Amino acid sequence: MKATMTRIVFPGDTNHHKTLFGGQALKWMDELVYIVAFKHFQRDFVTVKVNTVRFLKPVMLNEIFELTATIRNVGKVKLDIDLQGFIISSNTKELAIEGAFTLAPVDEKMRPVRL
């Protein structure tokens, strides 16, 4: 299962260097991993671990930023999802951020459940 999210980097998304604020990138990444998990399993999830995040290239103000999330591993109680973030321009797609998250399913009382 795979999902994609595309954003434009607005001034409110940037730091004092006029590049995408790392916290904003993490927020978008966390949203997308939840979406891909929910779409695939039709149940609620929580993020239990941010395994890795690598900022490879700055994403500048006004650039188009595309995130792609892919389920890598499904366990009995956890789900691993890989992400890649790309800067999109007219002819290119350049890798800027990559990461890996672990999510777990929960019930309506926020208790862990099996997948």
Side-chain angles (χ1 to χ4, degrees), residues 29 32 65-69 82-86 95-99:
M29 293 168 83
L32 186 58
F65 182 63
E66 180 182 275
L67 277 167
T68 302
D82 293 332
L83 296 109
Q84 292 183 311
F86 298 93
L95 182 63
I97 299 173
E98 58 186 9

Side-chain angles (χ1 to χ4, degrees), residues 7 10 32 37 52 83 102 107:
R7 299 279 194 250
F10 288 114
L32 186 58
T52 60
L83 296 109
T102 300
D107 65 16

Side-chain angles (χ1 to χ4, degrees), residues 41-65:
F41 291 96
Q42 295 296 305
R43 60 172 30 156
D44 201 12
F45 282 83
V46 293
T47 301
V48 295
K49 186 176 180 184
V50 177
N51 301 304
T52 60
V53 175
R54 293 181 52 210
F55 296 94
L56 306 169
K57 181 173 178 27
V59 183
M60 305 303 292
L61 177 65
N62 297 321
E63 286 188 312
I64 304 296
F65 182 63

Side-chain angles (χ1 to χ4, degrees), residues 9-25 28 55 57-63 65 87 97:
V9 179
F10 288 114
D13 302 322
T14 64
N15 58 30
H16 63 288
H17 298 291
K18 295 189 172 87
T19 61
L20 178 62
F21 177 59
Q24 182 62 49
W28 290 341
F55 296 94
K57 181 173 178 27
V59 183
M60 305 303 292
L61 177 65
N62 297 321
E63 286 188 312
F65 182 63
I87 300 165
I97 299 173

